[in-house]
Amino acid sequence: MAPSRSRARRWLAAVVGAVVSVGLLPALAAPAHADSAPVAPVTVRTVTADSLPTVQINGVVWDQVVVGDTVYATGNFSQARPAGAAAGTNQTARSNILAYRLSTGALLPNWAPSLNGQGLALEASADGTRIFVAGEFTTVSGVARPRLAALDATTGAVITGFNANVNSRVRALEVEGSTLYLGGAFSAVGGQARTRLAAVDVTSGALRTWAPQVDAEVYGLAAPSGRGTVVAGGRFQFANGQEVKGLGAFAATDAALLGWPSYGIFPNYGPDSAIWSLSTDGTRVYGTAYDYFGPSQFEGTFGIDVTNGAVSFVNGCKGDTYDSVPIGDVLYSVGHPHDCGMIGGHPQVDPWTFQRALAHTTAPAADGRRNLYGPYSTYNAPELLHWLPTYSAGTFTGQSQAGWSVTGNSEYVVIGGEFPRVNGAAQQGLSRFRVNGPNTEPVQGYPELKPSIVSLAPGTARVAWTAAWDRDNRRLTYEVLRGATTGSSVVVGTLTADSSWWDRKRLAFTDTTAPAGSSQTYRVRVKDAFGNNLVSAATTATVEGGATQP
């Protein structure tokens, strides 16, 4: 049982039924942390936290794939509606699969295949002309296609020449060259025995001879291009008869199990624990995991070197993590982390707080840091990046989760799931973020920004307040304003400080220019790197009289 006691119920149930006193100072000395306006030296840049207008759905999205300017999404839903439309209004029928324009977020009106059961996985052919969808359905647009189908990427039509005929749930897909790899709960493909893993031809669906065996369901697959390796993750304990505890790497030629040293380091297997997803950038395989009082203490993300199978880094955050995608130097993930203190993120508090979308580096942090505590404290840690969109938990699956899927390209990150709101605004099931986005997300923390005033000596006023925070900029600039109104105020002090929603220190500035014995009104204005600003409520106090101290 993991000490975090994550609240996620089993996947199976879902798929089948102190004060800092500062004068006039330059920027605080601190490591450079990436965000939408990183502090120099710039090493990594994230997308902004602005949630862009995107088509919505009335259920849950389990998986997505991006091809050019199109996002394909599958899950369990029956209707789509435009961004801004309230639930149940302006709906367009879509049966468990849809496509929308990545650059605009608008639903594609003429791409409308229909699945008679939920879709769980999507993958595109190497040339982008075919979209493979897998799940629990048996027909697609009225055509018999048990659990796996190929669709025309432009028209959505079922490609009649592809028919793999899988006898039970398919949970994971991965294309490498001319081969489509399948993972799930099945025992036969094309009428021939296959034990939860199989490979078929991308053109015809004809079964390949590749046939490893695992003893429980497969959830994730990764096949790094040109490496001759296929990696599987799931709830299995054994692969080809060897104990591997949730993770297995196989030769793409003969399905032989490779001798990776990472087996068992993340023991997520069995009925209440699993390696949930796998992704790759060709250099590393990235995994996510969940545990519900099962055998593991791991619920975060990890990176494994493709060349030798050694663990590159561990993000030991507590709280189930459902999906990840490497984009450049950033690994984006979704889940419900509630304790990331071991990698410099939000600590465990009561009541629990969740950062349901995260970003960190795809490599170990440059400063050599390790997880600060927990069972993975001897392993290198990535650098947590300052990208903090806010997701509300949904109700559709009964699991109180938000994002289940994340993917993207060099310009966009897209998240799918069951969430009803993003950054406090209504947006159900699908969301988009962009590099060099609008950068209009407001600075947060209005009530606590109101200053307190203490006059400790004649002609001085010490102004103190609680730091604000921003969803995609760590470093903020504060101006201390003195004057009866905001418009008539003058700036008497400026300082900068780094903050996040879990790390909001008390800041202070001493004004030595106020007339002794006078009544003065102060406000604090905070700005991010793009000029978004927030002005506090006013506080009026009497400055101590008498001789001004030098």
Side-chain angles (χ1 to χ4, degrees):
M1 179 177 66
S4 63
R5 299 192 176 186
S6 296
R7 296 175 179 173
R9 296 169 177 84
R10 295 186 204 174
W11 161 261
L12 187 59
V15 298
V16 300
V19 174
V20 178
S21 184
V22 190
L24 291 172
L25 294 177
L28 297 179
H33 294 283
D35 50 35
S36 62
V39 178
V42 176
T43 56
V44 181
R45 191 183 193 92
T46 66
V47 292
T48 72
D50 305 87
S51 177
L52 305 174
T54 308
V55 64
Q56 305 177 80
I57 50 94
N58 67 342
V60 61
V61 168
W62 293 124
D63 202 14
Q64 307 162 98
V65 66
V66 175
V67 179
D69 193 33
T70 303
V71 181
Y72 302 88
T74 193
N76 187 348
F77 52 84
S78 60
Q79 300 288 338
R81 65 186 190 275
T89 68
N90 200 10
Q91 296 188 127
T92 301
R94 286 294 185 271
S95 184
N96 301 321
I97 191 167
L98 60 74
Y100 72 85
R101 191 67 64 202
L102 177 59
S103 56
T104 66
L107 181 71
L108 293 187
N110 299 320
W111 202 88
S114 174
L115 311 180
N116 73 336
Q118 65 178 347
L120 300 175
L122 285 170
E123 184 72 355
S125 60
D127 63 5
T129 63
R130 294 186 175 199
I131 302 300
F132 299 101
V133 58
E136 296 182 322
F137 53 85
T138 56
T139 67
V140 180
S141 302
V143 180
R145 283 296 182 274
R147 292 103 192 169
L148 177 63
L151 305 173
D152 187 289
T154 302
T155 68
V158 176
I159 296 175
T160 58
F162 180 97
N163 190 2
N165 190 14
V166 188
N167 76 333
S168 190
R169 180 172 59 247
V170 177
R171 175 66 175 84
L173 297 174
E174 180 80 342
V175 167
E176 165 60 358
S178 62
T179 302
L180 174 64
Y181 295 95
L182 327 177
F186 52 84
S187 59
V189 178
Q192 299 186 47
R194 287 294 185 271
T195 310
R196 304 177 184 90
L197 285 165
V200 300
D201 182 84
V202 296
T203 301
S204 66
L207 188 64
R208 297 278 173 86
T209 59
W210 190 80
Q213 296 188 0
V214 295
D215 67 326
E217 189 166 5
V218 172
Y219 278 22
L221 289 170
S225 180
R227 297 284 187 161
T229 300
V230 182
V231 188
R235 60 173 74 256
F236 52 87
Q237 183 177 358
F238 294 92
N240 291 358
Q242 178 177 325
E243 189 173 40
V244 292
K245 297 182 178 179
L247 183 72
F250 305 91
T253 52
D254 60 4
L257 184 70
L258 305 181
W260 277 19
S262 48
Y263 300 152
I265 291 175
F266 313 102
N268 294 75
Y269 66 95
D272 298 308
S273 187
I275 301 297
W276 196 288
S277 75
L278 295 173
S279 58
T280 185
D281 56 11
T283 300
R284 296 182 180 88
V285 169
Y286 305 96
T288 71
Y290 95 104
D291 186 85
Y292 186 66
F293 297 90
S296 182
Q297 296 188 64
F298 181 72
E299 300 171 325
T301 59
F302 59 77
I304 293 177
D305 190 293
V306 172
T307 303
N308 55 22
V311 175
S312 175
F313 70 80
V314 176
N315 157 22
C317 287
K318 298 176 183 178
D320 300 338
T321 306
Y322 306 122
D323 200 13
S324 71
V325 61
I327 300 178
D329 296 327
V330 182
L331 187 72
Y332 296 91
S333 63
V334 291
H336 66 257
H338 52 81
D339 181 4
C340 286
M342 67 286 291
I343 64 167
H346 58 290
Q348 180 70 60
V349 295
D350 195 12
W352 289 10
T353 56
F354 303 95
Q355 183 58 51
R356 298 180 185 272
L358 284 177
H360 62 66
T361 53
T362 56
D367 59 9
R369 74 186 69 176
R370 296 175 183 261
N371 286 262
L372 296 176
Y373 55 84
Y376 296 94
S377 58
T378 60
Y379 287 88
N380 291 328
E383 181 182 359
L384 184 65
L385 306 177
H386 193 91
W387 181 69
L388 305 171
T390 304
Y391 279 85
S392 300
T395 60
F396 185 81
T397 67
Q399 298 187 78
S400 299
Q401 300 304 317
W404 293 96
S405 167
V406 58
T407 190
N409 60 21
S410 61
E411 295 183 65
Y412 289 89
V413 168
V414 294
I415 291 177
E418 60 179 309
F419 47 85
R421 306 180 71 82
V422 183
N423 294 344
Q427 177 63 41
Q428 187 175 3
L430 291 164
S431 58
R432 294 181 303 140
F433 303 89
R434 191 177 80 228
V435 174
N436 296 322
N439 271 304
T440 56
E441 264 297 305
V443 180
Q444 308 293 311
Y446 175 78
E448 302 86 352
L449 198 61
K450 182 179 179 179
S452 60
I453 313 297
V454 177
S455 184
L456 300 176
T460 66
R462 186 171 180 270
V463 185
W465 65 94
T466 298
W469 69 280
D470 189 80
R471 289 191 172 101
D472 52 14
N473 289 283
R474 184 185 303 265
R475 185 156 294 178
L476 301 176
T477 300
Y478 298 85
E479 296 174 334
V480 179
L481 308 177
R482 189 181 71 204
T485 67
T486 302
S488 64
S489 295
V490 295
V491 178
V492 296
T494 302
L495 59 92
T496 60
D498 292 352
S499 60
S500 54
W501 62 258
W502 63 86
D503 183 20
R504 300 174 60 193
K505 298 178 175 64
R506 288 287 288 177
L507 304 175
F509 171 79
T510 300
D511 179 15
T512 61
T513 64
S518 63
S519 177
Q520 297 293 334
T521 297
Y522 290 91
R523 296 172 179 82
V524 175
R525 179 165 58 209
V526 57
K527 301 178 181 179
D528 67 12
F530 298 93
N532 300 301
N533 70 87
L534 181 66
V535 180
S536 74
T539 300
T540 300
T542 299
V543 179
E544 188 172 325
T548 301
Q549 298 297 310

